[in-house]
Amino acid sequence: MIGSGLAKSARCWRRCYLLAFLLGIAAGVGAIAGLTWAWWALAGVLVGAGFPGAVWQARWPGSYERRVVWPALRRAWRKRVQLVWPEVCREAGLSSQRTVKARDGAGSVQVWTPPVLREVSASGVWVDVIAQVRMGQTPDELIAAAPRFAAAMNAQSVATEQLAPAVVWLRLVMCEPLRVPVTAAVPQHVELDRITLGRQVDGSPWSMQLIERHTLVVGASGSGKGSVLWGICGGLAPAARAGLVRLYGVDLKGGVEIGMGEGLFTTTAETVDEALVVLRTLVGVMDKRLARMRGVERLHRPAPGEPLHVLVIDELAALVAYSTEREKVAEATKLLARLLSAGRAPGVLVLAFVQDPTKKTVEMRGLFTQTVALRLRSAEEVRMVLGDGMTDVAPAHKISPATPGMGYVVQENGTAVRVRADYWPDGLVQHIGHDFPAPVKQPVVHVVPAPGNADNGGSRPARSPRKPRSPRASRGLRSDAATRSDDGEAS
Ligand SMILES: Nc1ncnc2c1ncn2[C@@H]1O[C@H](COP(=O)(O)OP(=O)(O)OP(=O)(O)O)[C@@H](O)[C@H]1O
């Protein structure tokens, strides 16, 4: 999808082609009516320029945008920076003023000297400006004027950074290609290393590494955590069906989210007790794998029968902070911390979602190896989620509630990128839950205590195991069982 600036530019070019084409026809008619050869030449040039351009634009809009519209827009942005720079600097009080003699020697003129524009370049949907402050100025003065440049350039947003003691970098984001939502498609291929979740601000695909990573996604209510959750689980669906991945879902908000695509999951948990069973089982799997790997390999490679185990927790705070059952919360926190600290190498990964990073979850933040910040409520939350110094370059607290699924990720090279997850409507989630059933099902089996026995450990009445889905379920995870005979996998 293209942003409004791009759409405007495309419209403008379309009009030019149409005009060239019509003028060409008019010149041709003039030539037929007996005018000179010059009219024939004009007609040829105009029709020759207008017609192929119009056909290219109509027939191959993607390549036309890439090769014609974007380069023209970027050229125009660069020129505009050169144009507005002296004026904005003067208005912002950044230029120095001198009176010099006029060239003709008659009288004097005022000369304004702005900070030096060292480099102006444009790529993607932004313009990068590198400027050097004048003697006696501080970089902070230039950084404080950044919103004025953004307004003068009609930019959507501006990011700043001090590159050297006297050098400042400004990135003006000129149009918003992520404004229009895109609906996700049914995944076609087994993807394991990187899962494609949506688009980056420059229009390229946004993909995220999953293997060797524990992922934390933070976003206020309604920020679109569901689309990241289903982007990852849906993206893993072909691998799950092929037996390369097992998904375990913990959804303590009544199972509303994970229940939509329950078929994808090997096990789902909706109470703290069920979640504890899943956590104990995965810690057991992890410990056994680690013991097997010792001295043999350092990183587990997923294979059928030796799958990657992915624990998906919707609303992490419900598990480690909100529950009033303190002993259970303490155990869950401990088990989760073990998975987060040792699960990466043996292929037992955690993918957690949370609304509020200020609660106890923040204690665990350091154990996650990658973080996605969707819309947050304050600059302080951005700092908590993405780290110090990120509020300017990844202003997740400024994301509009009208663009759910939009957020910031910090790449391996340390730069922050704005992204938007594709939207997963309920029907699509149900569809993949149905079409990509987990080959192994291990429902949590509650052991009903004998009358008069101690607490059955459940916060809701014991229930009979869920009916296994096809293919036939393996033995379930027992709420009284801490370990399994094998990896915890199907026997
Ligand atoms: N990527 C997206 N593109 C467009 N719309 C989206 C996207 N993701 C979510 N939405 C819309 O935003 C609404 C809220 O999304 P979602 O339920 O995923 O938020 P959430 O962060 O999980 O909220 P909560 O924490 O309250 O459950 C959805 O009903 C959907 O209509």
Side-chain angles (χ1 to χ4, degrees):
M1 285 299 155
I2 54 179
S4 59
L6 186 56
K8 236 185 267 170
S9 166
R11 261 199 313 272
C12 172
W13 280 94
R14 211 163 22 238
R15 279 188 205 132
C16 290
Y17 290 135
L18 190 66
L19 192 66
F21 188 60
L22 292 176
L23 282 175
I25 302 267
V29 171
I32 291 167
L35 294 172
T36 62
W37 62 270
W39 285 97
W40 279 111
L42 181 63
V45 168
L46 291 174
V47 172
F51 186 67
V55 171
W56 186 8
Q57 190 176 14
R59 184 73 186 81
W60 298 281
S63 96
Y64 177 81
E65 270 169 28
R66 259 194 322 277
R67 290 174 188 276
V68 179
V69 181
W70 280 111
L73 263 179
R74 290 181 194 126
R75 241 186 339 267
W77 293 338
R78 283 199 306 268
K79 279 202 180 135
R80 187 158 172 75
V81 170
Q82 311 271 4
L83 199 74
V84 303
W85 182 257
E87 223 169 308
V88 175
C89 287
R90 200 176 61 213
E91 292 300 323
L94 294 170
S95 302
S96 66
Q97 187 188 11
R98 278 181 307 137
T99 309
V100 294
K101 264 195 181 159
R103 279 208 183 142
D104 55 9
S108 57
V109 287
Q110 302 287 328
V111 175
W112 293 87
T113 314
V116 184
L117 254 187
R118 285 200 358 189
E119 200 180 311
V120 181
S121 58
S123 60
V125 293
W126 56 76
V127 199
D128 284 329
V129 177
I130 297 179
Q132 184 163 357
V133 296
R134 281 184 308 101
M135 185 71 82
Q137 258 174 0
T138 65
D140 286 344
E141 289 175 58
L142 202 48
I143 287 173
R148 292 177 187 249
F149 292 115
M153 289 288 295
N154 208 11
Q156 298 286 328
S157 62
V158 60
T160 56
E161 197 182 321
Q162 183 178 341
L163 297 183
V167 181
V168 169
W169 163 83
L170 311 178
R171 171 164 289 175
L172 299 150
V173 178
M174 298 302 296
C175 58
E176 181 48 280
L178 302 182
R179 187 164 289 156
V180 184
V182 168
T183 301
V186 177
Q188 303 293 333
H189 309 290
V190 172
E191 275 186 339
L192 255 185
D193 287 343
R194 294 193 78 87
I195 310 290
T196 303
L197 298 176
R199 295 157 294 148
Q200 304 196 111
V201 72
D202 62 359
S204 61
W206 168 36
S207 65
M208 208 160 75
Q209 177 171 344
L210 192 80
I211 283 190
E212 287 190 72
R213 297 277 195 273
H214 296 299
T215 309
L216 179 65
V217 182
V218 189
S221 180
S223 60
K225 294 186 289 300
S227 35
V228 181
L229 188 152
W230 292 113
I232 295 177
C233 296
L236 287 174
R241 189 169 61 181
L244 295 170
V245 174
R246 277 190 204 170
L247 294 167
Y248 301 78
V250 171
D251 182 353
L252 303 188
K253 291 198 295 186
V256 175
E257 188 71 54
I258 282 176
M260 281 308 256
E262 198 177 0
L264 270 177
F265 291 83
T266 291
T267 308
T268 55
E270 292 169 20
T271 64
V272 176
D273 298 284
E274 290 177 350
L276 279 172
V277 176
V278 174
L279 282 167
R280 286 185 209 120
T281 306
L282 287 175
V283 168
V285 169
M286 179 183 80
D287 287 343
K288 283 188 178 159
R289 268 198 189 160
L290 283 171
R292 270 207 321 265
M293 286 167 65
R294 193 163 179 275
V296 181
E297 57 180 349
R298 289 196 300 178
L299 183 66
H300 168 264
R301 301 202 182 287
E306 274 290 320
L308 189 72
H309 295 275
V310 182
L311 172 63
V312 183
I313 305 174
D314 189 29
E315 198 40 70
L316 179 61
L319 182 63
V320 298
Y322 295 154
S323 173
T324 49
E325 300 168 281
R326 291 177 64 179
E327 274 174 26
K328 291 176 186 173
V329 166
E331 187 185 355
T333 308
K334 211 167 103 190
L335 290 167
L336 196 55
R338 282 212 57 209
L339 286 180
L340 288 169
S341 54
R344 191 186 58 82
V348 183
L349 305 178
V350 181
L351 166 65
F353 296 80
V354 71
Q355 280 182 6
D356 184 356
T358 59
K359 289 280 180 312
K360 204 179 159 193
T361 42
V362 82
E363 288 171 17
M364 295 213 153
R365 190 175 58 91
L367 295 174
F368 285 89
T369 35
Q370 65 184 356
T371 318
V372 179
L374 299 179
R375 178 170 53 81
L376 297 175
R377 286 167 303 185
S378 65
E380 179 60 11
E381 285 193 358
V382 177
R383 201 189 55 71
M384 279 182 204
V385 174
L386 295 178
D388 287 337
M390 297 309 285
T391 42
D392 281 342
V393 287
H397 58 303
K398 292 187 181 165
I399 292 174
S400 160
T403 53
M406 189 178 285
Y408 285 90
V409 286
V410 180
Q411 293 178 316
E412 261 135 49
N413 62 7
T415 55
V417 178
R418 194 146 51 88
V419 294
R420 188 165 189 190
D422 291 344
Y423 177 49
W424 284 75
D426 291 354
L428 181 59
V429 174
Q430 286 165 332
H431 173 78
I432 56 155
H434 182 263
D435 277 23
F436 295 86
V440 174
K441 287 283 185 187
Q442 292 176 332
V444 177
V445 179
H446 287 269
V447 177
V448 182
N453 266 10
D455 174 22
N456 72 355
S459 59
R460 66 179 183 185
R463 63 180 191 187
S464 51
R466 288 196 187 94
K467 192 168 174 281
R469 290 172 175 77
S470 67
R472 182 147 170 63
S474 68
R475 192 173 51 188
L477 308 183
R478 288 161 57 98
S479 61
D480 62 339
T483 54
R484 313 222 56 75
S485 59
D486 60 359
D487 220 6
E489 295 160 13
S491 49

